[in-house]
Amino acid sequence: MKAGNRPPPATPGKPKKATTFQEFESITSDAWDVGDDDDELLAMAAQNLNIEVVMETANKVIENHSKQQERQRQDDTTDFSQRDEDTQEEVVEEEEEDEEDDDTRVEEGDAISPDASFASQSSPYADSRLVKSHSEAPIGSPRDAEGERAALHRQRSLPHRPPVIPLVARMADQNTSGTPAMTEREASRLDKFKQLLGGPNTDLEELRKLSWSGIPRQVRPITWKLLSGYLPANAERRESVLQRKRQEYFGFIQQYYDSRNEEHHQDTYRQIHIDIPRMSPESLVLQPKVTEIHIDIPRTNPLIPLFQQASVQEIFERILFIWAIRHPASGYVQGINDLVTPFFVVFVFEYIEEEVENFDVSSLEEEALRNIEADSFWCMSKLLDGIQDNYTFAQPGIQRKVKALEELVSRIDESVHRHMQHYEVEYLQFAFRWMNNLLMRELPLRCTIRLWDTYQAEPEGFSHFHLYVCAAFLVRWRKEILEERDFQGLMILLQNLPTMHWGNEEVSVLLAEAYRLKFAFADAPNHYKR
């Protein structure tokens, strides 16, 4: 899809039949063809993995998580009851004081109801991702009383969240249970990473195995650079490679960036400028001729203060513009701006100790900022090299993957598949964004970074394994999906899934289930197809 074009509309309404899928049906099997490189990888995997062990391990992860969630719910119930009793005691005391002083203090004496208490706890996350509310129902289709009660029931059934989960801070360590940042096991894993990275030649295969279950924040920057292919395994060559690649990037800036206002680049730059500056509302006043990068920068993580800073937005504009003009087959496509953010945040952590979401990047030295910018550009470029057909004309890569997702879901959960068919929900209407943005619009940034740890470690993680993650993600919401009884309700749910409370635990379970699906279906095309 070229700059300026838009993906299929996500607004709920009577859907059109996606006839374009018929064109890709005949070539869907290409996504499952095994190349020579894959044969080698699968042979290696066969030596190290036993299917019974893998399945048992994945099931054990899921079972342990279920037990932890049950214990958490019981603890939450106990805590809630205690808070309610404490609140009532406070109210009684205040009323007694009111009688003695004969003074009306309504605000101090008001009791906080359980519902109000729940709402106040959730308020930091009170955006469209949490739950569907009556106000979110489309105009002209008001929910009846029964629907409101069902929505309220779903809201109350959401897992309890701790008071504060930063959007990006402590990304590697944050769990919904609020566990300490560094356990003994995590300290041991960090030592293993340091030993592996400290040698003269890093064993990338061992590094991938170690990284699959998550990378400690302290070593994530260098690990991502190694796994993406940006840095060589040989430690002696790394510094010279970094210097050369950083100089090369800023050479591109000098050569091309001034051309952003030329007529043949106006559309690209305008879209980027809109996608990025919307992070800062006052930046939306655009020049009439300023043009597709400028549109997308403001849409990049608009709730995180880090990305509202002018210097950060300028960095994103340069990265996206240079990538676009160096890849004329696709150019800039809306959504690519999202793919810069995980790299940028991870590489900022190389230079700071504190939380990143409110960090003022202007306090960094200019050289550090330049290094972060160049490293983010090259690692994003490496990622996009593997999925560029997602962004070429008509986005055939995404079309194939959405069709493959539909086929896969029909095999693993026929009830969900038939339910969406019954209400005429096309997979393209919600899964296009899942493929285009790699689930970044569906998950908090901290979860995206944890997810990318595994994607970097998994062979063809972004292009192939992502499909199984999407399938596991969809089936994860089967209960909520089957409760919806109309097209609009399904679309609102699928575009606003309640994941803002997610942390490492939820992502680990999602990845375990995705790996189980991959092991069962990826190398068994006859079992996969009907």
Side-chain angles (χ1 to χ4, degrees):
M1 186 166 68
K2 284 293 182 182
N5 291 344
R6 291 289 184 269
T11 305
K14 188 66 176 176
K16 292 184 178 179
K17 288 295 181 183
T19 55
T20 53
F21 274 126
Q22 296 170 3
E23 301 172 9
F24 294 94
E25 201 160 10
S26 61
I27 59 170
T28 301
S29 58
D30 292 351
W32 306 98
D33 287 345
V34 179
D36 296 335
D37 294 340
D38 289 326
D39 282 332
E40 295 178 7
L41 291 169
L42 293 172
M44 292 168 57
Q47 296 173 5
N48 300 320
L49 297 173
N50 178 284
I51 186 167
E52 294 180 359
V53 175
V54 172
M55 300 292 281
E56 181 182 353
T57 303
N59 289 330
K60 198 171 292 183
V61 171
I62 295 171
E63 181 182 348
N64 290 340
H65 177 71
S66 299
K67 291 178 180 178
Q68 289 177 3
Q69 291 293 88
E70 182 61 32
R71 287 197 297 270
Q72 182 67 29
R73 280 194 292 271
Q74 292 173 357
D75 294 343
D76 293 342
T77 302
T78 304
D79 294 343
F80 185 81
S81 301
Q82 184 62 43
R83 285 198 303 272
D84 193 41
E85 292 174 5
D86 294 343
T87 303
Q88 292 178 6
E89 290 176 3
E90 292 175 4
V91 172
V92 171
E93 291 176 2
E94 288 180 359
E95 288 177 349
E96 290 175 354
E97 292 175 2
D98 288 346
E99 290 176 1
E100 292 175 1
D101 298 341
D102 194 23
D103 182 20
T104 304
R105 291 175 292 181
V106 177
E107 293 182 359
E108 295 180 5
D110 278 349
I112 301 175
S113 68
D115 287 349
S117 176
F118 181 91
S120 65
Q121 292 171 21
S122 337
S123 60
Y125 311 95
D127 68 336
S128 59
R129 283 180 173 272
L130 285 179
V131 291
K132 288 163 47 186
S133 67
H134 177 73
S135 62
E136 291 172 324
I139 297 174
S141 302
R143 300 284 187 183
D144 57 18
E146 183 179 350
E148 291 181 4
R149 285 195 297 272
L152 182 59
H153 174 74
R154 287 196 297 274
Q155 179 180 12
R156 289 175 173 171
S157 67
L158 289 175
H160 175 69
R161 294 181 289 279
V164 175
I165 297 181
L167 291 172
V168 292
R170 292 177 55 191
M171 288 160 293
D173 313 309
Q174 179 63 51
N175 291 312
T176 54
S177 59
T179 53
M182 182 67 72
T183 64
E184 184 176 344
R185 177 179 176 276
E186 289 167 344
S188 174
R189 291 191 76 247
L190 178 59
D191 287 341
K192 290 180 181 178
F193 270 95
K194 288 182 175 178
Q195 290 176 13
L196 193 57
L197 295 168
N201 287 285
T202 301
D203 186 335
L204 295 182
E205 194 58 36
E206 285 299 317
L207 186 61
R208 288 190 181 94
K209 291 178 182 177
L210 196 57
S211 300
W212 204 99
S213 55
I215 303 170
R217 165 182 157 170
Q218 297 90 329
V219 294
R220 182 178 275 126
I222 187 171
T223 303
W224 276 26
K225 291 173 188 175
L226 285 165
L227 294 181
S228 67
Y230 175 44
L231 282 185
N234 183 276
E236 291 183 357
R237 294 179 50 221
R238 288 175 195 163
E239 190 58 37
S240 61
V241 168
L242 278 176
Q243 289 182 4
R244 177 172 57 82
K245 299 299 284 185
R246 288 166 178 171
Q247 289 175 1
E248 186 177 354
Y249 169 72
F250 283 100
F252 295 152
I253 296 292
Q254 292 179 349
Q255 184 175 357
Y256 299 119
Y257 194 60
D258 287 342
S259 69
R260 65 191 182 280
N261 292 317
E262 295 177 5
E263 186 174 353
H264 59 289
H265 288 150
Q266 285 261 321
D267 289 341
T268 296
Y269 187 66
R270 177 176 175 273
Q271 182 63 53
I272 292 175
H273 203 67
I274 292 179
D275 276 2
I276 296 177
R278 207 188 266 174
M279 295 185 290
S280 178
E282 64 272 12
S283 302
L284 278 177
V285 182
L286 301 177
Q287 303 283 336
K289 286 192 173 183
V290 174
T291 45
E292 209 163 291
I293 294 173
H294 230 90
I295 298 176
D296 275 4
I297 301 297
R299 296 173 179 163
T300 306
N301 292 284
L303 299 179
I304 302 177
L306 172 70
F307 298 106
Q308 296 175 7
Q309 299 174 37
S311 56
V312 174
Q313 294 181 9
E314 290 169 3
I315 288 172
F316 275 55
E317 285 183 13
R318 289 193 291 268
I319 289 173
L320 294 171
F321 182 76
I322 297 302
W323 187 89
I325 62 175
R326 295 191 73 245
H327 295 81
S330 62
Y332 176 77
V333 177
Q334 184 179 331
I336 292 179
N337 57 300
D338 284 341
L339 307 185
V340 185
T341 57
F343 293 113
F344 182 82
V345 168
V346 167
F347 296 151
V348 166
F349 273 132
E350 244 182 318
Y351 299 92
I352 68 172
E353 295 288 337
E354 62 265 41
E355 295 181 1
V356 71
E357 62 180 313
N358 294 302
F359 180 72
D360 181 4
V361 297
S362 64
S363 62
L364 288 174
E365 295 182 1
E366 183 180 354
E367 182 182 0
L369 269 179
R370 288 170 61 89
N371 293 344
I372 292 168
E373 178 176 347
D375 295 348
S376 298
F377 169 82
W378 287 114
C379 287
M380 184 199 74
S381 298
K382 292 284 187 181
L383 185 162
L384 288 171
D385 285 347
I387 57 172
Q388 193 168 354
D389 63 344
N390 283 9
Y391 305 105
T392 53
F393 179 72
Q395 299 184 265
I398 290 179
Q399 299 273 11
R400 286 194 297 269
K401 287 167 187 169
V402 170
K403 182 61 180 176
L405 176 65
E406 181 177 2
E407 294 286 346
L408 182 56
V409 173
S410 73
R411 301 298 293 151
I412 64 178
D413 199 324
E414 190 173 5
S415 297
V416 167
H417 179 69
R418 289 190 178 278
H419 186 74
M420 292 198 292
Q421 276 189 328
H422 178 73
Y423 293 106
E424 299 184 316
V425 173
E426 299 286 350
Y427 282 71
L428 189 65
Q429 292 168 319
F430 64 90
F432 180 92
R433 187 171 74 181
W434 295 10
M435 302 300 177
N436 191 60
N437 302 89
L438 299 178
L439 286 177
M440 285 195 62
R441 299 287 176 91
E442 323 311 318
L443 299 172
L445 184 54
R446 62 180 178 275
C447 293
T448 296
I449 290 174
R450 168 62 192 91
L451 192 67
W452 283 25
D453 287 347
T454 299
Y455 281 5
Q456 300 264 17
E458 182 75 18
E460 296 184 323
F462 293 98
S463 60
H464 187 58
F465 186 62
H466 179 67
L467 170 66
Y468 299 98
V469 172
C470 288
F473 186 66
L474 180 62
V475 175
R476 159 69 177 77
W477 307 102
R478 77 180 311 273
K479 178 177 178 291
E480 292 82 353
I481 289 171
L482 295 176
E483 285 176 353
E484 294 295 341
R485 297 296 176 182
D486 57 49
F487 172 80
Q488 291 179 340
L490 281 166
M491 288 305 301
I492 292 174
L493 171 68
L494 291 168
Q495 294 173 0
N496 298 276
L497 292 166
T499 60
M500 284 303 290
H501 67 285
W502 275 31
N504 275 1
E505 293 173 3
E506 289 78 8
V507 174
S508 295
V509 172
L510 179 69
L511 289 166
E513 178 62 17
Y515 190 80
R516 186 182 70 82
L517 292 176
K518 179 192 171 189
F519 214 94
F521 290 94
D523 308 316
N526 291 332
H527 181 51
Y528 167 76
K529 295 178 180 177
R530 288 186 178 278

